[in-house]
Amino acid sequence: MYAERILSGMRPTGRLHLGHYHGVLANWIKLQHEYPCLFFVADWHALTTAYDEPEGIAQNSWDMVVDWLAAGVDPSQATLFIQSRVPEHAELHLLMSMMTPLGWLERVPTYKDQQEKLTHKDLTTYGFLGYPLLMSADILIYRADKVPVGEDQVPHLEFTRELARRFNHMYGREPGFEEKAKESVRKLGSKRAKLYQELRTRFQEKGEQDALEQARALLDEAQNLSHGDLERLFGYLDGGGKVILVEPAALLTSNSKMPGLDGQKMSKSYGNAITLREDADSIRKKIRTMQTDPARVRRDDPGDPDKCPVWQFHQIYSSDDVRAWVQEGCRSARFGCLECKQPVIEGVLKEQEPMRERARLYEEDPQLVRNIIAEGCEKARKLAQETLRDVREAMGLNYA
Ligand code: TRP
Ligand code: SF4
């Protein structure tokens, strides 16, 4: 009933690394060809934990957007914007806060977990408690039906779905719904109206699922009806009232197979990362000095690729032939680790070449990035305003 739409956000952490690329970004780049996509910088979410040190947020946001563009997120395919420049998110957050049970927020597992983990921070703030609600507003305001996120965000998606359901249940029944629905049925034209009624009865009285499907298909084809009429008719069909907010599904982003230089998860804070558009010499040096199987102390000690992070890089960057060469050569000590690392160095450099190329354009002319974001914000706002209009009306705020 709604167009398929993908939305995802990232907190502005500054320069991104290969872990982000092989986890999140590669997925975004694939999705942008398959669906209408909206990707945004979640700068307000950054403030929920960095409220006492907001200095870096703007620079981190711009750096991150350049990395998206460099990696191949295409602004002519996807809409890119910054959360705080679409203030409609905040209004929806406020309106939903009226009907969000406090207990639901307190029970989101990340709330206590993060408070316990980030002990140096006082996170007993209203903004931090409301983190998942703000995220719900981000998603629901675009009526996004698919949200690519990592495992850690799944509870937030579940929370969002429950909230949408509660909202629709509470506000989806406009006064005089029944009469209005019948009015909308008439607008279908007598033949289709009759069919619609029959199918509706079959579904509601006998629970026939295919009658429901057929009726929905009938509505999908009814192009002469307004959005409002259609909405009502969809709701009238299954008895759920009007769907004002769409329940989103999580599209689970598979964990990046990209380890850090020491074999642990790649992370800026562990100091084991290679950033996107990193200087070529720095990349060479990092890979040349990266850890290998500790059993290979001397050049002629045989090794085991399974105990070596370089092997994990080969699995991302090398062909079958090269991988066979590594397996054989490492176990028989036919060559040293430096030689083994050479194809990885080449692979990483080659992957980054187009990224550096694209980034150069934006570094030379930062205005380009500003324009992309300005355009994205404008597009996003239009969509957001449509939803907000319905929400205001449903909550009794449609002052004439
Ligand atoms: N909370 C998400 C994270 O930390 C970022 C985020 C904010 C987000 N709003 C969102 C992701 C909406 C998807 C949809 O990764
Ligand atoms: Fe790792 Fe290659 Fe050295 Fe074997 S030869 S330990 S796979 S770097």
Side-chain angles (χ1 to χ4, degrees), residues 10 15-27 253-261 264-268 272-276 278 313 316-317 348 351-352 355:
M10 233 190 250
R15 297 289 287 262
L16 303 180
H17 54 60
L18 291 181
H20 296 113
Y21 178 70
H22 287 278
V24 182
L25 287 177
N27 194 31
T253 307
S254 48
N255 275 334
S256 166
K257 297 199 177 60
M258 189 83 236
L261 295 164
Q264 282 181 275
K265 185 179 149 77
M266 187 178 280
S267 160
K268 190 158 73 177
N272 64 358
I274 294 177
T275 55
L276 300 185
E278 184 159 330
F313 275 59
I316 292 170
Y317 291 100
V348 174
E351 179 178 70
Q352 297 221 350
M355 297 192 197

Side-chain angles (χ1 to χ4, degrees), residues 11 72-73 98 113 128 199 201 267 306 325 349 359-360:
R11 275 172 298 171
V73 176
M98 305 300 171
D113 288 358
F128 188 69
L199 292 167
T201 310
S267 160
D306 290 335
W325 171 79
L349 289 178
R360 185 153 39 234

Side-chain angles (χ1 to χ4, degrees), residues 11-15 41-43 46-47 50-65 268:
R11 275 172 298 171
T13 48
R15 297 289 287 262
V41 179
D43 56 347
L47 273 182
Y51 58 88
D52 57 345
E53 39 173 1
E55 299 79 17
I57 290 179
Q59 191 56 46
N60 284 346
S61 296
W62 292 122
D63 285 347
M64 188 169 80
V65 173
K268 190 158 73 177

Side-chain angles (χ1 to χ4, degrees), residues 290-296 301-312 314 325-327 329-331 333 335-341:
M290 81 182 268
Q291 284 180 24
T292 60
D293 177 0
R296 291 206 76 181
D301 292 332
D304 178 356
D306 290 335
K307 297 188 179 132
C308 175
V310 179
W311 171 240
Q312 288 172 270
H314 274 296
W325 171 79
V326 173
Q327 284 290 342
C330 176
R331 293 178 198 280
F335 47 68
C337 290
L338 265 182
E339 200 176 336
C340 176
K341 287 169 169 178

Side-chain angles (χ1 to χ4, degrees), residues 7-11 40 42 45 83 131 134-135 138-139 147-149 152-153 156-157:
L7 169 103
S8 200
M10 233 190 250
R11 275 172 298 171
F40 73 98
H45 277 104
Q83 185 185 34
Y131 186 110
L134 181 57
M135 181 159 161
D138 297 337
I139 298 166
V147 182
V149 285
D152 60 320
Q153 300 295 311
H156 296 157
L157 254 290

